[in-house]
Amino acid sequence: MEWEIVIGLEVHAQLSTRSKIFSGASTRYGAAPNTQACAVDIALPGVLPVFNKAAAEQAIKFGLAIGARINRESVFARKNYFYPDLPKGYQISQYELPIVEGGEIVIQVGEEEKIIRITRAHLEEDAGKSLHEDFHGMTGIDLNRAGTPLLEIVSEPDMRSAQEAVAYAKTLHSLVQYLDICDGNMQEGSFRCDANVSVRPKGADSFGTRCEIKNLNSFRFLEKAIEYEANRQIEILEAGGYVEQETRLYDAERNETRSMRSKEEAFDYRYFPDPDLLPLCIPEEMIEAIRASLPELPHAKRHRFMSQYGLSAYDAGVLTASRAMAAYYEEVVAAVGAAHAKVAANWVMGDLAGALNREGRDISESPIGAQALAGLIRRILDNTISGKIAKEVFEAMWAGEGSADEIIEARGLRQITDSSAIERLVEEVIAAHPKSVEEYRAGKERALNALVGQVMKRSQGKANPQQVSELLKRKLAQ
C-alpha cells in the first residue's frame, strides 16, 4: 500500500520584547537562574498580571504579514495543568478568541511554490525550565523564562513530507526575523516546533491518528523526527496494529521518537477566561500604523530578486533567507552594477557564505563588508586579477590584510595580460608536454585543459586564462 504523510506544525516564536508579557521582569537570555523572575512570574498570592502592549504589536505585525484576520477583540484564558516549572498551575494563553486567525505562508519546494494555511496565532506566556543535569537525584527549577511572551503559530495539516515541513519552518523562521519580532535563535529556544504527524493510505479523505513530537529545536531534527515517526506509524499499520494518539519526544542520539504521555485534548486543560485580564481590544488606527511599518517581505523580495537581477528561484531564496543577507547582497550589486548581479550572487553565496559558516558567524559579523567585496569583484571584472587569484585575495581580506587593491599591490598579483609574455609561456609548455599536445591534436579536448593548467602554473596563476586558452588553440593548430 502507498502511504501519505500528513503534517501540521505548531511553532513557538519568542517575541522580542524587553520585558515579559505580564510583568516588568527582563527577558534577557543567559542570566543566572531565578534572577529575572518577579512576584508575578513566580505566582505569589495577591499579584496581578499587566499586559505588555509590545507583545500585541508584534503579533499584529505577524498577522498582517501573512494576510490574516486581526481580531479586534481577543481574550486571554487559563490553560490548566500541573508541572513543576509552572508555579501558578495554569498557563495564560488564548483559546477561543486568538489575536490572529487565518492567513497563509508560501513555501518553496524545489522549483515549485506551495501555500500552507495558518489556522491561528495566539499570544501566551512561556513556562519555566526544569534543570536536571546540575543536580543528583533532584530537579532544579529556573523561572527566568516564566512569563516570556510567545506567539504560537498553528498551521493546517497541509504538509505532505518532512522536506515540506522543513521548508515551512525555515520560511516562518525567516519571516519572524524580517519582521524583527523574534531573534530566531533555536539554540536558546527562541524558535521551536511541535510536529503533528499522521499517515493515511494515499488518496484517502480522512486523517490517520496523529502523534505530536514536542520541542524540536533544529531543522535537521525536525526532518529526521518526522521521517522516523512516519515510518514507525506505517510499520505499525502494516503489521495490523493501530497508532495511539500521544505526545512523543525525539531522541537525536538514537534518531528515534519515544512516548512521553498520552495526548491531551483541549477539554483536558479546562480552559476558562482569565478573570484577572480584561479582553484585549485593538483599535483600527493601531493596526493601520503597524501595517504602514511593514518591511518588504521575504516572498516579495525573492520574486523581485528574480525579476530585477535575473536570479534563479534557488539563488533568490538563499539571498533573501535573511533580511541582513539580502541587504548585503543589494549593496554589493549597487556597487558593481546590476549587469553583474549573478557574479555578485556567486560570491555572496559561495566564498562569503562558506567562510561565515566555517566560523559560525552571522552576515552582520563578516570581516569583509559589502563595499569591500564589491571592490574585489570589480578587480575581476576589469581583468586586474583572475578568478583563481581572487580567491587568494578574498582569504587575505578575510584575515584582515586590507582591501582588494592593497593586497593585489602588496603581493604583486596583477594579472598578466601582455600577449607576448603569455605567448612565451605557451611555447614553453608546448615544448615540455608533447604527449598532451599529441592527445589534443588527436581530438582529446581535455588535453587542452591540462596544458592551460600548466601555463597557469608557470605564471603562478597570474596569466589571463582566456588569453592562455586562445593562444594555445592557435599555436596547436599550426
Side-chain angles (χ1 to χ4, degrees):
M1 180 182 292
E2 190 174 359
W3 297 91
E4 183 176 60
I5 307 173
V6 178
I7 306 161
L9 291 189
E10 298 173 12
V11 172
H12 287 88
Q14 179 178 321
L15 297 175
S16 302
T17 58
R18 286 182 294 179
S19 58
K20 295 183 179 178
I21 189 168
F22 299 118
S23 80
S26 172
T27 56
R28 185 172 60 86
Y29 179 82
N34 297 312
T35 58
Q36 293 182 174
C38 69
V40 173
D41 306 323
I42 64 177
L44 290 184
V47 296
L48 293 173
V50 178
F51 180 61
N52 186 341
K53 181 183 175 186
E57 292 171 339
Q58 296 185 6
I60 293 168
K61 186 180 277 191
F62 174 78
L64 293 174
I66 63 168
R69 180 173 71 254
I70 309 300
N71 285 326
R72 301 298 187 272
E73 181 175 310
S74 62
V75 174
F76 286 104
R78 291 185 177 182
K79 181 181 181 182
N80 295 274
Y81 63 97
F82 297 99
Y83 210 70
D85 57 17
L86 190 68
K88 288 197 293 284
Y90 62 84
Q91 177 190 29
I92 302 177
S93 182
Q94 294 189 309
Y95 180 50
E96 289 183 324
L97 285 173
I99 189 168
V100 172
E101 284 189 278
E104 61 186 36
I105 297 284
V106 181
I107 65 171
Q108 189 81 31
V109 185
E111 294 298 314
E112 302 293 325
E113 288 189 342
K114 180 174 180 176
I115 292 174
I116 307 298
R117 296 168 296 158
I118 302 299
T119 311
R120 57 189 275 150
H122 60 259
L123 290 163
E124 65 182 25
E125 61 179 349
D126 206 349
K129 184 179 181 183
S130 298
L131 305 173
H132 306 289
E133 296 173 354
D134 299 333
F135 303 91
H136 297 291
M138 296 183 291
T139 296
I141 303 295
D142 177 10
L143 293 174
N144 280 356
R145 212 168 66 185
T148 299
L150 300 178
L151 187 66
E152 181 173 339
I153 304 159
V154 183
S155 81
E156 293 290 309
D158 288 345
M159 289 156 271
R160 295 293 176 266
S161 69
Q163 291 69 38
E164 286 188 8
V166 170
Y168 167 78
K170 285 184 173 179
T171 304
L172 207 53
H173 185 254
S174 171
L175 177 61
V176 295
Q177 291 181 88
Y178 259 79
L179 297 172
D180 199 23
I181 64 171
C182 173
D183 64 19
N185 192 319
M186 301 182 79
Q187 287 73 34
E188 295 177 2
S190 299
F191 187 92
R192 53 190 194 267
C193 304
D194 301 339
N196 287 292
V197 180
S198 64
V199 298
R200 64 183 177 185
K202 193 169 181 63
D205 294 327
S206 58
F207 293 129
T209 303
R210 73 181 189 279
C211 290
E212 182 183 34
I213 312 169
K214 296 290 287 184
N215 288 330
L216 297 161
N217 64 354
S218 87
F219 299 126
R220 188 165 62 90
F221 291 168
L222 174 64
E223 183 172 10
K224 286 180 171 293
I226 290 172
E227 288 178 344
Y228 176 88
E229 180 59 22
N231 288 330
R232 185 188 73 87
Q233 293 183 19
I234 290 170
E235 285 180 9
I236 290 173
L237 295 171
E238 290 188 339
Y242 63 91
V243 175
E244 292 188 21
Q245 183 170 324
E246 60 184 353
T247 300
R248 301 179 68 84
L249 287 175
Y250 176 65
D251 185 331
E253 290 187 4
R254 296 185 176 184
N255 187 31
E256 64 179 25
T257 65
R258 60 170 183 266
S259 183
M260 179 181 174
R261 59 176 183 261
S262 60
K263 172 65 180 173
E264 297 91 344
E265 298 291 354
F267 59 79
D268 292 322
Y269 291 117
R270 294 169 287 119
Y271 282 98
F272 64 87
D274 192 308
D276 291 337
L277 288 160
L278 293 171
L280 179 61
C281 298
I282 300 168
E284 187 66 29
E285 55 267 28
M286 180 178 174
I287 294 173
E288 292 310 313
I290 294 170
R291 192 192 306 278
S293 72
L294 288 177
E296 182 183 29
L297 299 175
H299 183 248
K301 195 182 286 287
R302 185 167 67 245
H303 279 267
R304 180 170 65 79
F305 276 26
M306 292 167 66
S307 61
Q308 185 173 343
Y309 302 129
L311 300 179
S312 67
Y314 174 81
D315 288 356
V318 171
L319 292 168
T320 58
S322 81
R323 198 169 167 181
M325 175 70 87
Y328 184 104
Y329 170 70
E330 292 218 271
E331 188 175 342
V332 175
V333 173
V336 301
H340 307 295
K342 177 57 178 169
V343 178
N346 289 344
W347 274 95
V348 174
M349 295 191 302
D351 294 70
L352 182 73
L356 291 171
N357 289 337
R358 190 172 62 237
E359 297 189 5
R361 297 192 189 196
D362 185 76
I363 186 80
S364 61
E365 303 167 322
S366 172
I368 302 178
Q371 291 296 331
L373 183 63
L376 172 62
I377 295 173
R378 278 197 292 266
R379 292 299 162 260
I380 303 168
L381 296 174
D382 66 12
N383 287 324
T384 300
I385 55 175
S386 66
K388 184 177 180 181
I389 290 294
K391 293 183 180 299
E392 179 184 338
V393 176
F394 177 88
E395 292 300 327
M397 292 170 70
W398 188 268
E401 293 185 24
S403 68
D405 286 342
E406 290 168 343
I407 293 165
I408 291 166
E409 292 306 320
R411 295 192 178 192
L413 296 175
R414 281 185 176 276
Q415 190 165 239
I416 300 171
T417 54
D418 182 332
S419 297
S420 58
I422 295 176
E423 191 168 356
R424 282 197 297 276
L425 293 171
V426 166
E427 288 171 349
E428 288 172 12
V429 166
I430 288 174
H433 297 83
K435 185 178 178 184
S436 294
V437 171
E438 185 180 339
E439 287 176 347
Y440 175 75
R441 284 174 172 159
K444 290 187 177 179
E445 287 290 327
R446 283 188 300 178
L448 181 69
N449 295 334
L451 292 168
V452 170
Q454 289 299 325
V455 176
M456 296 302 295
K457 186 177 178 181
R458 282 178 182 246
S459 72
Q460 298 180 315
K462 297 181 197 173
N464 182 304
Q466 189 175 351
Q467 281 183 270
V468 170
S469 179
E470 290 171 358
L471 270 169
L472 266 170
K473 286 179 182 177
R474 197 159 65 233
K475 289 284 183 184
L476 292 170
Q478 291 174 357

